[in-house]
Amino acid sequence: MEVPRIPQASSLIINSGNVINFECLKKRKRIAQSTTEELKDCLKTVLDSRLKTINWDEEKFKTSLEFTVPCCNPALSDEQTREDLKVTVKAMMCNADPEVIVDAIHRVLKELDTDIIDVLLLSVSEKPNVIETFHMDHLKTLWSVLERMVDKGQIKTLGVCDLEKPALEELYNWAKVKPSIDQVNEISCCIIPPDLNAFSKEKKIQLLTHGDALEILPAEDFQELMKESFSDLDAQGWHTSWVLRYTALIRCRGVITRKGYTVRAQRNLNNI
């Protein structure tokens, strides 16, 4: 009979560290790879590395787990001054709990050893609380938290993802800190709608594109990853709470020196 290795775990955080030199990504440079595939490759690399040295007698009693690769520390070094770097974070939220996004942002600030994020892009899942369907109140709840972080000097610029003109206008009119960017999906929106383009020009909102899936790490994909690294029983019930992707770019050269992911997943053991 299969015995679970992490039977008490209901929260899991995986930090990829700086993935710029990950061999798994280098091998895929010549082929098209979605951001979901890239993310799964990074998480698998972290788990494969950490599970070689894990003490299972200790882990099986833990309710919260965290895995990272110490040798891939993404902290911003002294090679460049902080002013020379542009740090961008995309927060892909599958949970609209205000405390959850605060924890997520604080973690990436600590991970990068910096006090401020230059650009924060907010993306909210179509089902932000697992069973609920997205509506603007979810986004506004999270936006209010980010506005307070702007006031504290922790974030310079706020942007949003995948909002069509009516939703973007609603957010713009409601928000104290106006969105400066709307990042739209290049697959679902290959031609920018005229009304969105006109509104963005009027309000000086920059329109950018991205290739991320609406659900960058679906529950079934994460559970399959857990199954490969742990066991079938350990994989049950997990779903993504949030995914943060960060980059640090040298402004004058346009060179990315840091790129990484931090992921939090949760499960309700009572539902397994």
Side-chain angles (χ1 to χ4, degrees), residues 3 31 50 61 67 76 108 118 157 162 181 218 224 232 242:
V3 177
I31 62 174
R50 288 292 292 114
F61 297 111
F67 298 112
L76 304 180
V108 79
D118 295 293
T157 300
D162 302 312
I181 298 167
E224 184 62 31
D232 288 359
W242 47 259

Side-chain angles (χ1 to χ4, degrees), residues 25-48:
L25 301 187
K26 287 182 178 180
K27 292 177 181 178
R28 289 182 177 262
K29 279 185 177 180
R30 295 183 181 179
I31 62 174
Q33 184 184 33
S34 70
T35 51
T36 295
E37 290 170 333
E38 177 183 271
L39 173 58
K40 289 193 293 184
D41 279 349
C42 292
L43 299 183
K44 185 71 164 58
T45 298
V46 174
L47 291 174
D48 286 348

Side-chain angles (χ1 to χ4, degrees), residues 5-268:
R5 291 178 165 185
I6 49 171
Q8 302 300 318
S10 58
S11 175
L12 172 62
I13 291 176
I14 305 176
N15 302 307
S16 74
N18 187 12
V19 305
I20 291 294
N21 294 318
F22 268 28
E23 289 298 323
C24 65
L25 301 187
K26 287 182 178 180
K27 292 177 181 178
R28 289 182 177 262
K29 279 185 177 180
R30 295 183 181 179
I31 62 174
Q33 184 184 33
S34 70
T35 51
T36 295
E37 290 170 333
E38 177 183 271
L39 173 58
K40 289 193 293 184
D41 279 349
C42 292
L43 299 183
K44 185 71 164 58
T45 298
V46 174
L47 291 174
D48 286 348
S49 173
R50 288 292 292 114
L51 296 186
K52 293 176 183 177
T53 60
I54 213 165
N55 184 332
W56 293 111
D57 288 335
E58 294 179 359
E59 299 301 315
K60 68 181 180 182
F61 297 111
K62 293 182 179 179
T63 59
S64 298
L65 300 173
E66 185 165 349
F67 298 112
T68 190
V69 182
C71 65
C72 298
N73 182 4
L76 304 180
S77 67
D78 295 329
E79 296 173 7
Q80 300 86 25
T81 64
R82 179 61 182 86
E83 291 73 23
D84 293 333
L85 298 173
K86 179 181 179 180
V87 175
T88 300
V89 175
K90 184 169 182 177
M92 293 165 270
M93 304 300 299
C94 305
N95 190 318
D97 184 342
E99 293 183 5
V100 170
I101 195 169
V102 169
D103 176 61
I105 301 302
H106 284 168
R107 283 182 177 277
V108 79
L109 287 170
K110 183 179 179 180
E111 184 86 353
L112 291 171
D113 191 23
T114 186
D115 297 324
I116 189 166
I117 294 168
D118 295 293
V119 179
L120 191 290
L121 300 172
L122 175 62
S123 174
V124 182
S125 165
E126 291 183 323
K127 291 189 175 181
N129 287 321
V130 184
I131 59 173
E132 296 181 36
T133 301
F134 169 79
H135 54 78
M136 284 298 292
D137 285 346
H138 290 127
L139 190 146
K140 289 177 180 178
T141 296
L142 298 175
W143 195 267
S144 295
V145 176
L146 298 177
E147 287 180 324
R148 291 194 288 274
M149 290 186 159
V150 171
D151 291 340
K152 292 178 181 178
Q154 294 174 309
I155 299 171
K156 284 185 181 178
T157 300
L158 286 179
V160 73
C161 300
D162 302 312
L163 289 193
E164 297 179 353
K165 189 264 183 178
L168 182 60
E169 184 175 20
E170 180 180 344
L171 175 64
Y172 187 92
N173 291 334
W174 169 85
K176 295 178 182 177
V177 178
K178 309 298 183 184
S180 299
I181 298 167
D182 186 10
Q183 193 184 53
V184 298
N185 192 291
E186 60 189 7
I187 298 174
S188 61
C189 190
C190 54
I191 299 176
I192 302 295
D195 61 343
L196 176 60
N197 196 35
F199 180 76
S200 299
K201 284 184 177 180
E202 177 191 348
K203 301 302 182 182
K204 296 181 175 156
I205 299 172
Q206 186 179 10
L207 291 177
L208 303 177
T209 60
H210 71 86
D212 299 323
L214 291 176
E215 299 290 334
I216 192 170
L217 190 59
E220 56 270 22
D221 284 9
F222 188 80
Q223 289 172 20
E224 184 62 31
L225 184 70
M226 293 294 290
K227 188 183 298 184
E228 293 174 6
S229 299
F230 295 92
S231 71
D232 288 359
L233 292 175
D234 289 319
Q236 294 177 3
W238 290 101
H239 63 271
T240 307
S241 179
W242 47 259
V243 176
L244 263 61
R245 181 176 64 232
Y246 54 81
T247 58
L249 178 143
I250 303 175
R251 294 179 188 272
C252 62
R253 294 165 54 195
V255 176
I256 295 176
T257 63
R258 299 288 187 278
K259 178 181 178 180
Y261 294 91
T262 301
V263 175
R264 183 186 181 191
Q266 296 173 277
R267 64 175 175 173
N268 187 335

